Structure formats: C-alpha cells, structure tokens
Amino acid sequence: MSVFQTYLQLGFLHICTPRAADHLTFLLALCAPYVLADWRRVLALVTSFTVGHSLTLALATLGLVAFKPTLIEALIPVTIIITALVNLRGAGSASARPTLRPTPVLAAAPNALALGFGLIHGLGFSNYLRALLGPSSRPVQELLAFNVGVELGQVLVVGAILLLGALLLRGFGVLRRDWLLTTSGAALGIAALLLVQLLWP
C-alpha cells in the first residue's frame, strides 16, 4: 500500500476498534438525541466536531502546540459526561412535537459544543499519530490520510447508531425518550468508569 493508504487505514482502525471506547462512546452520546430523519442535523454536528479535532490534530502533530497527555486523557471522558448530562436534561422534550419555528441546522448550540469538544479529542488523536511517526516527524500527507481515515470511521459509527435507533424506534416501538435515556445513560456510565480508571489506576 501507499503511505496515504496506510495512514488512511490506521485512522479508520483507530476509530473502529474496541480500544477506541472513549471516542466511540462520545459519538454515541453525541448522536443519542437524534433519529434517522435528523440526518442533516447530525451531519452538521459531526462536521462541527470534525472541524475542531482536525485543527488540534494538525497543530499538535506538527508540533505547534504542546499539552500534557494525561490531562487530555482525563478531559475526553469529561466531554462525554457533559454531553450525556445535556442529553438527559433534555430527555423530557425528546418525544414532544416540533415547534413551529425549528432551530437552525448550522447555527445551533449543539454544534458549538461539538466544535469545542472536538478540539480536545483532536489532541487525543494526535497522541496516537505522533507515537506512530516519531517526535521529529512533520508529515503532511500522513496527517491528511489519518484524518480522512478517522472521519470515515466516524461516519460509519454514526450511521450505525442512527440505523440502530431507527430499527428500535420504528420496528420495535421503542419510545424516543427511552432510547435517549438508555443511550445517554450508558455513555455516562462508561465515561465515568473511564475517568475513574484514569484518576485512580
């Protein structure tokens, strides 16, 4: 394989693996309030997250910003906990009828939250990528390929979450509020466990 294909695959597998439990759990919490019909909002949400993590992934991998890896590892579960708590707070209106003036798709508060949390997750991605490349490497092609691979993995995961939600909601009659409570509660529990393991190994 070419260098681009190699790092594309590495980026994809960095997301689509049980070892990426923190990032997978964040995607679960991020998409929990939405159903398949909300795909435009989910696309805007994931794109906002992409913009954030792409920026810090590039800056950190190229050595333009410095940070403490242990701090970032602890902050990633915190982003999941906050996202899950926001979902649980809004669970009461999950099955309510839409308002006459729907919220905008792009200029929405959840997108800003995803953008900000993406900055933190990008630093987490950079730890893995810099470990592969070595401390003195300043790759551009590898960075681009890895980032594209991560995005492909995220799209696959998000699509699977939305399809599973559609199956349960439409096929088995699960209430939207119950789906939101279950997925957000699971994400909250996993994130809390990850945080405890990091703080008290």
Side-chain angles (χ1 to χ4, degrees), residues 4-19:
F4 187 92
Q5 290 174 319
T6 298
Y7 280 87
L8 180 74
Q9 184 179 40
L10 287 172
F12 181 84
L13 294 177
H14 186 56
I15 289 294
C16 296
T17 175
R19 290 177 295 178

Side-chain angles (χ1 to χ4, degrees), residues 111-122:
N111 295 345
L113 191 68
L115 175 66
F117 288 166
L119 297 172
I120 297 173
H121 283 252

Side-chain angles (χ1 to χ4, degrees), residues 126-151:
S126 69
N127 288 335
Y128 174 75
L129 183 55
R130 286 201 298 178
L132 291 174
L133 296 169
S136 61
S137 180
R138 286 177 170 264
V140 175
Q141 181 182 11
E142 290 90 337
L143 175 61
L144 175 62
F146 184 83
N147 204 37
V148 172
V150 167
E151 293 319 302

Side-chain angles (χ1 to χ4, degrees), residues 55-67 122-124 126-127 130:
L55 177 61
T56 49
L57 175 60
L59 292 176
T61 303
L62 297 175
L64 299 178
V65 295
F67 59 93
L123 295 174
S126 69
N127 288 335
R130 286 201 298 178

Side-chain angles (χ1 to χ4, degrees), residues 57-96:
L57 175 60
L59 292 176
T61 303
L62 297 175
L64 299 178
V65 295
F67 59 93
K68 293 183 178 180
T70 53
L71 175 61
I72 299 303
E73 290 174 0
L75 284 177
I76 287 176
V78 171
T79 65
I80 303 170
I81 291 171
I82 294 173
T83 304
L85 289 175
V86 170
N87 291 347
L88 293 173
R89 183 184 178 187
S93 60
S95 58

Side-chain angles (χ1 to χ4, degrees), residues 86-110:
V86 170
N87 291 347
L88 293 173
R89 183 184 178 187
S93 60
S95 58
R97 293 180 180 179
T99 60
L100 295 177
R101 298 178 61 186
T103 56
V105 173
L106 296 179

